[in-house]
Amino acid sequence: MSVSQCKLNVPVEHYLATQLTLEQFEEKFLRPGHPVVLQGVLPNLPLSKWTMEYLSKTVGNNEVNVRGKTDQADYKTGKSYTIRQTTFQEYVDDLKRKTHRGTTSYMAVQNISKTFPQLQEECILPNIIGKIHNGPFLWVGHKGHYEYCHYDPDASMLMMIEGEKQARLFSCSDHENLYPNPLGSKGKTIQSQVDCDNPNMNKFPKFANATCHYCTLHAGDMLFIPAFWWHQITSLTDSVSANAFFGDSGVDKYISRILEPPVYTAFKHWLTNVIEQNRSFASFERTLERLHLCVENLILKQFHEVAQESHIKTLVAEILLFLGLEKLPEFKGGGKHPPPIKIRGLRWR
């Protein structure tokens, strides 16, 4: 569960959260960026009954998107995977029969409201999840599935419904020690080149300097994953889990916080990765002409935050520095709305 090649391995704190308020959670865990396993909340919510058996009866005929070739090295470093459509029941049948397809597939990040509308009335989230950025999502995996190490630009609450998973987390202070994939890599997440099960220490020697925070999750547990923290999750059994991405309550508290150390290094990498995703498109010049507005819109869409002018100026300056530009191109006129800064390669969320 821990990583022997890392200099330090630290168990994640467990906390009985039955009386924890939103304000207490944000003060104690969210704002400090402190991972924690929260217990005593999930079993009291309707979604705790979403076992594979229950889901098969309730949403078995629903179409889902399933990742394939998840046993390949390129999947374990977040570089590539295939997608196929099937029904939930067919996916579970493959998983339970342990067919080759079943043991090399993963039903990941399925948007509950879009994919499983029948579950909406039961989808009541813990009250300590305040300002949702995206989701919630459902994940169903086979025993032994290794989900590549990555970080998200949002905080996440991983809710364990059935089975067990192990989690390894690495602080954003260890950003460079986890060797992010090259800038321009597809998707909303930043993926690590390191296979945490079998790290190549000759190729990735700085991984030895990382601190691994680890835990085992059982049904009814919730793992709080701070924004921009690397995390690698492995299914110890066939498993069902849900998650939601969220941030600080308020209008601009989240963007204000992630612009400060130690998070800012990881956020800056995430932002420049998105810029690199867009750089080769013909519309990018027009995006640059109105970059201030495009950055403002990106923050609003991704984080539901209204950025202050000082925030926008900081981010525009970072983008200019990354692109090697001294100033933005002159606005030549055109449509009311500039081409947006898009996250490229984000699929089926």
Side-chain angles (χ1 to χ4, degrees):
M1 185 192 311
S2 57
V3 181
S4 61
Q5 293 87 348
C6 291
K7 69 174 182 180
L8 193 61
N9 286 273
V10 179
V12 175
E13 175 188 358
H14 286 59
Y15 188 91
L16 185 61
T18 50
Q19 303 300 318
L20 193 65
T21 67
L22 172 62
E23 293 76 16
Q24 290 169 336
F25 169 74
E26 292 194 350
E27 180 181 357
K28 188 175 180 66
F29 301 110
L30 180 67
R31 288 196 289 272
H34 182 60
V36 64
V37 176
L38 299 167
Q39 298 177 308
V41 175
L42 198 60
N44 299 318
L45 298 178
L47 62 80
S48 65
K49 66 183 178 183
W50 291 355
T51 63
M52 268 185 251
E53 181 181 2
Y54 179 83
L55 293 171
S56 292
K57 292 177 181 177
T58 310
V59 296
N61 293 324
N62 291 43
E63 282 200 346
V64 296
N65 293 293
V66 175
R67 296 176 182 176
K69 297 186 177 180
T70 58
D71 60 332
Q72 302 296 307
D74 274 357
Y75 185 83
K76 293 185 176 182
T77 53
K79 291 184 173 69
S80 70
Y81 52 84
T82 61
I83 289 284
R84 75 175 193 278
Q85 282 196 326
T86 185
T87 66
F88 180 82
Q89 188 60 59
E90 288 172 338
Y91 170 70
V92 170
D93 287 344
D94 275 345
L95 183 151
K96 289 187 174 180
R97 288 199 301 262
K98 303 188 185 303
T99 64
H100 176 73
R101 187 171 69 172
T103 56
T104 59
S105 299
Y106 188 38
M107 195 201 84
V109 70
Q110 296 296 283
N111 188 299
I112 292 171
S113 65
K114 296 176 183 177
T115 308
F116 305 115
Q118 304 97 311
L119 300 177
Q120 271 297 92
E121 288 189 6
E122 299 172 353
C123 193
I124 300 170
L125 298 177
N127 61 7
I128 55 175
I129 299 176
K131 186 177 180 180
I132 293 180
H133 292 174
N134 204 4
F137 301 100
L138 194 66
W139 311 67
V140 177
H142 65 84
K143 178 181 178 179
H145 173 75
Y146 176 104
E147 184 63 2
Y148 53 82
C149 187
H150 67 281
Y151 66 78
D152 300 285
D154 319 274
S156 176
M157 190 70 75
L158 172 56
M159 295 166 276
M160 201 69 220
I161 297 170
E162 182 179 22
E164 297 179 357
K165 288 184 173 182
Q166 72 171 22
R168 297 154 166 162
L169 296 87
F170 305 87
S171 166
C172 39
S173 299
D174 274 323
H175 186 265
E176 298 306 313
N177 293 332
L178 270 289
Y179 294 86
N181 278 333
L183 290 172
S185 297
K186 298 292 181 64
K188 189 176 182 178
T189 69
I190 300 297
Q191 311 87 20
S192 169
Q193 298 179 64
V194 178
D195 178 344
C196 295
D197 277 353
N198 298 289
N200 185 333
M201 302 308 293
N202 291 324
K203 191 174 182 180
F204 307 118
K206 289 189 292 185
F207 184 59
N209 299 323
T211 296
C212 174
H213 303 254
Y214 65 92
C215 62
T216 298
L217 300 173
H218 306 277
D221 289 343
M222 303 191 305
L223 172 62
F224 166 61
I225 304 173
F228 299 94
W229 271 56
W230 297 103
H231 50 283
Q232 188 281 310
I233 312 293
T234 298
S235 291
L236 300 178
T237 66
D238 294 347
S239 63
V240 179
S241 58
N243 87 305
F245 297 107
F246 64 104
D248 306 51
S249 303
V251 176
D252 62 1
K253 290 182 179 178
Y254 185 75
I255 186 64
S256 297
R257 180 166 63 81
I258 65 177
L259 280 168
E260 298 292 333
V263 184
Y264 185 51
T265 297
F267 173 50
K268 182 168 63 175
H269 184 96
W270 178 85
L271 177 66
T272 51
N273 187 70
V274 174
I275 294 298
E276 188 63 24
Q277 290 175 358
N278 287 266
R279 195 173 186 174
S280 62
F281 287 81
S283 60
F284 189 60
E285 180 73 11
R286 289 186 291 128
T287 298
L288 288 179
E289 290 176 3
R290 302 174 72 183
L291 187 60
H292 284 75
L293 179 57
C294 290
V295 169
E296 182 180 358
N297 290 342
L298 177 69
I299 299 304
L300 181 62
K301 181 178 181 179
Q302 295 302 320
F303 307 131
H304 307 285
E305 297 252 317
V306 179
Q308 298 176 18
E309 181 61 25
S310 60
H311 299 150
I312 297 171
K313 286 182 178 179
T314 296
L315 297 177
V316 167
E318 287 290 359
I319 293 169
L320 286 174
L321 180 64
F322 170 67
L323 296 173
L325 299 175
E326 293 185 0
K327 62 179 182 178
L328 295 172
E330 182 180 348
F331 177 48
K332 302 179 182 65
K336 181 179 179 181
H337 302 290
I341 301 171
K342 291 184 178 181
I343 296 176
R344 310 280 179 174
L346 183 62
R347 298 182 289 179
W348 296 286
R349 288 202 181 188

